Amino acid sequence: MTTQATTRRGSHGFSFVRIAIALQTLTIFLQAVSSGLLMTTAYGEVLHSVGARVMYGASMLYVLAAVLAWKPGGGSPRPVLHASGFLALASVQVAVGIAHIPAVHLPLGVLMFGLSVLALARR
């Protein structure tokens, strides 16, 4: 009986982590789209700014999902480390974006998208 409850809880945690990573990946992709709009339209800056906040929130959700999936089951803390590392990258990304350093901001965005797709594929 306990094994079934743990398995069900674990599968929900797994699904929540996968959903959080998918949301993060989607928001990063939308940031790439809004960066193109930033360069070509008047409203692009607003979209990119709002998108940055949503992307950062999605990264925090990924950390929360990883902790919730890890803690009850007592599994490996590796997903929590990956999510925390990603949140650190997102923090750097926001900082260099605010500082208007495109030479770092753009490649870091591409790296983050690639890492997020990789994390999604691994789940």
Side-chain angles (χ1 to χ4, degrees):
M1 188 71 95
T2 306
T3 306
Q4 289 175 346
T6 304
T7 304
R8 273 192 237 132
R9 188 179 310 129
S11 68
H12 288 299
F14 176 78
S15 295
F16 184 40
V17 171
R18 188 163 173 82
I19 290 168
I21 296 170
L23 179 64
Q24 173 183 272
T25 305
L26 177 65
T27 60
I28 294 170
F29 177 75
L30 293 175
Q31 280 300 91
V33 172
S34 71
S35 73
L37 292 172
L38 172 70
M39 295 178 216
T40 58
T41 66
Y43 59 86
E45 184 176 358
V46 172
L47 286 176
H48 198 66
S49 179
V50 169
R53 288 166 176 80
V54 173
M55 183 276 303
Y56 198 78
S59 296
M60 289 191 290
L61 182 67
Y62 177 25
V63 172
L64 176 65
V67 168
L68 291 176
W70 162 64
K71 206 58 173 157
S76 171
R78 184 171 290 199
V80 176
L81 295 174
H82 290 171
S84 299
F86 206 95
L87 184 59
L89 284 176
S91 298
V92 171
Q93 180 71 337
V94 168
V96 296
I98 290 171
H100 300 287
I101 307 173
V104 177
H105 189 69
L106 295 174
L108 184 56
V110 172
L111 174 67
M112 289 172 60
F113 181 70
L115 289 174
S116 194
V117 169
L118 182 63
L120 186 60
R122 294 178 118 188
R123 279 300 192 176

